[in-house]
Amino acid sequence: MSYVNSRVRKKDAMSLVTGKPVYTGDLIPQNTLVVKLLRSPHANAFIEDINTAAALKVPGVAAVFTYHDVPKSRFTTAGQTYPEPSPYDRLILDRHLRCAGDPVAIIAAETEAAALKAMNLIKVKYDVREPLLDFTKAKDNPILVHPEEDFKALCPVGADNRRNLCSTDVFEVGDVEEALSRCDVVLTRTYRTKANNQAMMETFRTYSYLDEYGRLSLVSSTQVPFHVRRILSNALEIPKSQIRVVKPRIGGGFGAKQSAVSEVYPAFVTLKTGRPAAIVYTREESMTNGSPRHQMQMTVRIGATKDGVIRAIDLYALSNAGAYGEHGPTTIGLVGHKSLSLYGGIEAARFSCDVVYTNTMGGGAYRGYGATQGIFAVESAVSEMAAELGMDPCAIREKNMVLEGQVMRTYYNETCQSCTLDKCMAKAKEMMNWQEKFPAKVLENGHIRSVGVAMAMQGSGISGVDIASVEIRLNDDGFYTLLVGCTDMGTGCDTILAQMAADCLDCDIDRIAVRGVDTDQSPYDTGSYASSTTYVTGMAVVKTCEKLRQKILETGAKLLGIDPEAAEFDGKRVFQPGADKEVTLSQIGYASFDGHNRCISASESHSSPVSPPPFMVGMAEIDLDPETGKVEVVDYAAAVDCGTVINRNLATVQTEGGIVQGIGMALFEDIQYDQAGHMMNNSFLQYKIPTRLDAGKIRVEFESSYEPTGPFGAKSIGELVINTPAPAIANAVYNATGLYFRELPIKPEEIALGLLKKREN
């Protein structure tokens, strides 16, 4: 292999670093209407009256729309395969406003100044109701977030709007209560995580126009162009055949853009006015009305023998869907499946959950997608069990971790066909010098250095549901065009897929031109989410290349006048071994465009019945100041099993980026609401994320396995890498202080006060 498992520069690297106009905001044409949204100041209210007369008189204002003007079909903005598990629970504009920031009116104007002036002149009379803000009290609360009669769920996820339930579920393997009764130690612990914001550099943005055939065309920063097409069709009540979606480069998504947050508003304006329209969310709008990680509360019961054999884990998760149910029923499943399955030898496990509606911002997809919360809870509980038993937290994991060949009963009964989690643990211990540093040391300045550990797993696509298609064409002069429907959101998937194609076709990677995504021209792909692109789309590339090679061979043999069985193709020519007969790929390419032949192309789709998990061990070394409680991550060692590493550069930076986001979740990011339901952390002044100075040293090593169902033996990596920092850092804080902090973020003042109380006692 020339390219797979090597360090290849991203195909778009130079365009990005030199500031070429490649993002949605760069491409908005002049004379495009500026779209702004008047948003609700109340978390729970009904519009009694709305008057737009004064706003319409502002020079430059083209239109103002209210709930009277929009279609009445409910829909979901969740970018998921149809039928979407997320309930259809929203309108473009609704009389019932369910969270602060819910859109009240759509303003379209020639300039931003005119739109903002008009916004201030819209007169609204609200019937303000008491908001439901505490998700632990939401189930069966008399305050109903969705009292409407036309609420519906397309899938049986346990949704019941009359109980504020977005979904509910339970599964069990073995007999949990019986297994716990035979344990020497049983711990019950509750853990809490916040609604983290993805904080991508590029906020939500879309522009729309009518093409020369009168069809609605959108250019949008989205991870899911084909899903956006369906979402708009549902919301706008027009056929999908009348909608085209184009994705340029994306300035970060991390799951936020797996929801159609911004697309519907300019699209509606364009349909109503016939003019191009664009919306660009402010940072405040992206933070207060985006699609953040779901807030959760998780209770773990874990039982083990005296020698550290974990027999049973019982996990209950309560998730806050917020005002709308996007991704609520699906993120919650990963809380259990991706955490319990780390422990392959347990006799019994149970996972039960409720996802509830409240009057806070609706949740969505964020890297890790529920697994992050579940792994924080279960890994923290395992570390607490180790402490209770007087064991090294690495040792209890080594005794109980999932191993290759095991049937993972809590992971859809899949067999673990590729796993080097044991090697990852050994490698991470070596990288961190664990035996010397565990549990903690007091430095001369009084600070405490300590270490903590956690394991993680994720998946590789959604088994049996999502699909990827690619097309590869041989062009004249013998180069290829690779058409994809997956979306490169900065991760480099265009490059990775080109690497695979180049090795499959035995050609230089510069001979592979990658194009995507345009729903009118690209082959169908469900999109870039669920860690699917390398594994699912990559396998579609491999299958397509195999088909294309055969077509090239047959065409070359025909040109040579020989039987295809007697010919070979080496990437540059088709020839007959032992004979002086050959035709170059360039000649085949030109000939295929002549009248006596036809263009050579191939297209294949791939959907996997399994979702092989990648694995990771992460170890954090922290410096803790016992006087102030401040925690600094000074070193982070990560050992990753993602099968065959396709691009070592991109896999490394993926891991580093996910670790930094996980550090943010553990120590910095703290979404809070006031009593009226207004978010208090609506800018980077209030919502803190780690800078490079806060991340310390991050070191990444790979312990490759070979996944037989993946392209070149590859699995995913994108989401896995965010999952270990929070439990590893929490474990390190315990090893430094003897105190466990079970709610994220872990705040310095809580550590300082906890140590003070400990000293007083």
Side-chain angles (χ1 to χ4, degrees):
M1 295 184 295
S2 300
Y3 295 103
V4 168
N5 200 19
S6 62
R7 301 180 183 274
V8 176
R9 190 173 72 181
K10 285 177 62 179
K11 277 187 165 285
D12 58 356
M14 294 310 296
S15 294
L16 299 180
V17 301
T18 56
K20 296 287 178 63
V22 297
Y23 298 106
T24 300
D26 301 326
L27 305 176
I28 297 173
Q30 291 184 347
N31 302 318
T32 298
L33 289 175
V34 176
V35 177
K36 290 289 182 181
L37 302 177
L38 173 65
R39 296 184 178 276
S40 171
H42 308 293
N44 187 16
F46 285 82
I47 298 173
E48 286 194 343
D49 185 64
I50 183 166
N51 189 323
T52 63
L56 286 167
K57 292 178 182 178
V58 174
V61 171
V64 178
F65 302 106
T66 71
Y67 73 91
H68 294 293
D69 305 307
V70 300
K72 304 305 178 187
S73 294
R74 294 203 177 270
F75 64 98
T76 176
T77 67
Q80 298 173 304
T81 295
Y82 182 86
E84 306 96 323
S86 300
Y88 280 26
D89 57 12
R90 68 160 76 223
L91 298 172
I92 299 172
L93 296 172
D94 202 336
R95 179 172 173 261
H96 187 181
L97 306 165
R98 295 174 174 83
C99 66
D102 242 1
V104 174
I106 304 170
I107 303 104
E110 305 293 344
T111 65
E112 182 176 12
L116 293 174
K117 184 175 181 180
M119 184 187 299
N120 292 327
L121 294 174
I122 298 173
K123 297 178 181 179
V124 188
K125 183 179 180 182
Y126 297 99
D127 174 12
V128 181
R129 309 287 180 89
E130 180 185 354
L132 173 58
L133 302 176
D134 186 345
F135 77 112
T136 65
K137 300 176 181 178
K139 185 177 176 179
D140 296 321
N141 195 291
I143 300 173
L144 292 181
V145 179
H146 283 278
E148 64 268 16
E149 295 296 329
D150 57 348
F151 175 98
K152 64 179 179 180
L154 275 61
C155 296
V157 295
D160 187 346
N161 58 316
R162 295 295 170 179
R163 301 182 63 197
N164 284 328
L165 277 175
C166 176
S167 73
T168 185
D169 195 18
V170 62
F171 75 80
E172 183 173 3
V173 297
D175 188 331
V176 167
E177 298 303 331
E178 191 277 333
L180 287 173
S181 71
R182 292 186 289 105
C183 293
D184 297 313
V185 179
V186 177
L187 301 180
T188 301
R189 300 288 187 266
T190 297
Y191 304 90
R192 299 175 181 87
T193 61
K194 296 291 182 70
N196 308 116
N197 201 295
Q198 295 90 345
M200 60 281 177
M201 290 179 66
E202 181 196 33
T203 60
F204 301 101
R205 53 196 61 195
T206 302
Y207 83 85
S208 57
Y209 61 96
L210 298 179
D211 69 12
E212 61 271 28
Y213 302 106
R215 296 171 70 235
L216 177 65
S217 296
L218 275 86
V219 178
S220 189
S221 181
T222 176
Q223 297 172 222
V224 286
F226 286 95
H227 289 332
V228 166
R229 184 175 65 181
R230 182 185 66 253
I231 292 164
L232 290 176
S233 175
N234 291 339
L236 300 171
E237 298 177 349
I238 62 175
K240 286 194 287 185
S241 62
Q242 294 302 304
I243 303 170
R244 173 192 179 200
V245 180
V246 176
K247 178 223 61 102
R249 309 317 288 173
I250 299 178
F254 309 112
K257 295 170 184 174
Q258 196 194 334
S259 294
V261 174
S262 61
E263 285 84 356
V264 70
Y265 304 111
F268 178 73
V269 168
T270 292
L271 284 182
K272 284 291 189 178
T273 66
R275 293 188 55 186
I279 190 167
V280 176
Y281 272 41
T282 63
R283 179 60 60 184
E284 180 178 343
E285 286 179 303
S286 290
M287 287 191 156
T288 58
N289 292 92
S291 55
R293 189 184 300 285
H294 291 83
Q295 179 185 19
M296 292 192 191
Q297 177 174 287
M298 295 151 288
T299 299
V300 183
R301 286 198 300 158
I302 182 171
T305 62
K306 290 179 181 178
D307 58 353
V309 175
I310 300 172
R311 282 185 169 160
I313 305 176
D314 184 12
L315 172 61
Y316 170 71
L318 178 66
S319 175
N320 181 12
Y324 301 98
E326 277 86 11
H327 299 278
T330 41
T331 52
I332 196 68
L334 274 65
V335 173
H337 290 298
K338 303 293 170 70
S339 60
L340 300 174
S341 304
L342 280 165
Y343 296 92
I346 56 176
E347 298 173 21
R350 178 167 57 210
F351 175 65
S352 53
C353 60
D354 291 309
V355 184
V356 293
Y357 286 111
T358 65
N359 292 118
T360 60
M361 171 175 55
Y366 186 1
R367 190 179 202 168
Y369 203 80
T372 312
Q373 297 98 306
I375 287 171
F376 168 65
V378 170
E379 284 298 277
S380 293
V382 169
S383 291
E384 292 203 49
M385 177 61 77
E388 185 77 14
L389 296 172
M391 290 182 68
D392 183 316
C394 293
I396 196 171
R397 288 174 169 84
E398 289 166 334
K399 183 169 283 193
N400 294 283
M401 67 173 60
V402 64
L403 300 172
E404 190 167 292
Q406 286 184 331
V407 175
M408 299 175 287
R409 293 187 298 160
T410 55
Y411 191 69
Y412 322 108
N413 282 315
E414 287 188 20
T415 299
C416 185
Q417 298 189 81
S418 58
C419 177
T420 57
L421 187 56
D422 52 345
K423 293 181 180 178
C424 288
M425 178 65 77
K427 173 62 71 174
K429 289 170 69 175
E430 176 189 326
M431 293 167 68
M432 184 55 74
N433 195 7
W434 177 269
Q435 301 291 49
E436 180 185 329
K437 294 179 179 178
F438 174 77
K441 292 182 179 180
V442 179
L443 305 181
E444 292 182 0
N445 62 359
H447 288 205
I448 304 169
R449 284 287 177 96
S450 63
V451 290
V453 62
M455 303 189 307
M457 61 177 277
Q458 197 73 36
S460 300
I462 303 175
S463 56
V465 175
D466 287 342
I467 188 170
S469 305
V470 302
E471 180 183 353
I472 305 179
R473 300 171 182 166
L474 174 65
N475 301 301
D476 51 349
D477 200 31
F479 73 97
Y480 302 96
T481 300
L482 171 60
L483 299 173
V484 298
C486 61
T487 56
D488 192 328
M489 51 182 163
T491 53
C493 71
D494 287 355
T495 306
I496 287 169
L497 298 175
Q499 288 177 249
M500 295 184 194
D503 275 347
C504 287
L505 296 168
D506 290 315
C507 71
D508 191 284
I509 194 170
D510 291 334
R511 305 289 286 180
I512 308 285
V514 186
R515 298 303 303 170
V517 177
D518 180 334
T519 57
D520 273 3
Q521 300 178 37
S522 304
Y524 182 83
D525 193 297
T526 41
S528 292
Y529 60 90
S531 300
S532 63
T533 307
T534 298
Y535 177 73
V536 181
T537 310
M539 204 64 207
V541 168
V542 171
K543 290 163 67 174
T544 302
C545 288
E546 290 173 353
K547 188 174 182 180
L548 185 64
R549 285 188 70 105
Q550 183 60 33
K551 287 188 174 184
I552 293 170
L553 183 69
E554 291 171 356
T555 303
K558 183 178 179 181
L559 292 172
L560 292 173
I562 61 176
D563 191 288
E565 297 294 326
E568 292 185 11
F569 174 51
D570 64 4
K572 295 182 176 64
R573 59 186 180 137
V574 172
F575 63 99
Q576 184 177 11
D580 190 19
K581 280 191 171 185
E582 68 173 49
V583 59
T584 67
L585 184 62
S586 178
Q587 290 171 320
I588 295 171
Y590 277 114
S592 68
F593 284 85
D594 288 344
H596 63 278
N597 251 310
R598 50 183 176 170
C599 176
I600 299 176
S601 70
S603 180
E604 285 289 331
S605 300
H606 183 68
S607 181
S608 177
V610 296
S611 178
F615 298 95
M616 175 180 177
V617 172
M619 291 185 176
E621 181 179 9
I622 66 169
D623 182 286
L624 188 147
D625 184 345
E627 296 301 317
T628 65
K630 183 179 180 181
V631 172
E632 291 185 15
V633 178
V634 295
D635 189 17
Y636 202 94
V640 181
D641 163 24
C642 58
T644 299
V645 182
I646 302 297
N647 187 314
R648 288 192 168 266
N649 280 346
L650 297 179
T652 300
V653 297
Q654 279 265 56
T655 307
E656 292 169 346
I659 288 169
V660 173
Q661 287 180 311
I663 291 170
M665 182 180 182
L667 298 175
F668 296 92
E669 302 176 40
D670 188 20
I671 284 183
Q672 299 171 317
Y673 288 87
D674 65 19
Q675 292 182 345
H678 299 118
M679 187 186 295
M680 300 164 65
N681 319 86
N682 58 13
S683 78
F684 286 138
L685 291 176
Q686 293 84 23
Y687 187 81
K688 301 298 184 182
I689 60 175
T691 68
R692 186 64 189 88
L693 298 177
D694 300 308
K697 181 167 61 175
I698 298 175
R699 295 176 292 140
V700 180
E701 297 286 347
F702 297 98
E703 285 291 340
S704 295
S705 61
Y706 185 87
E707 173 52 47
T709 66
F712 298 92
K715 299 185 285 190
S716 76
I717 192 171
E719 293 181 275
L720 165 78
V721 292
I722 198 173
N723 294 333
T724 59
I729 291 169
N731 181 225
V733 171
Y734 168 78
N735 289 330
T737 64
L739 304 172
Y740 250 110
F741 295 89
R742 303 183 181 99
E743 181 171 354
L744 301 180
I746 302 171
K747 300 176 182 179
E749 59 269 28
E750 293 172 348
I751 295 174
L753 289 171
L755 287 171
L756 180 63
K757 186 176 180 180
K758 184 180 179 181
R759 287 194 292 267
E760 289 175 348
N761 293 337

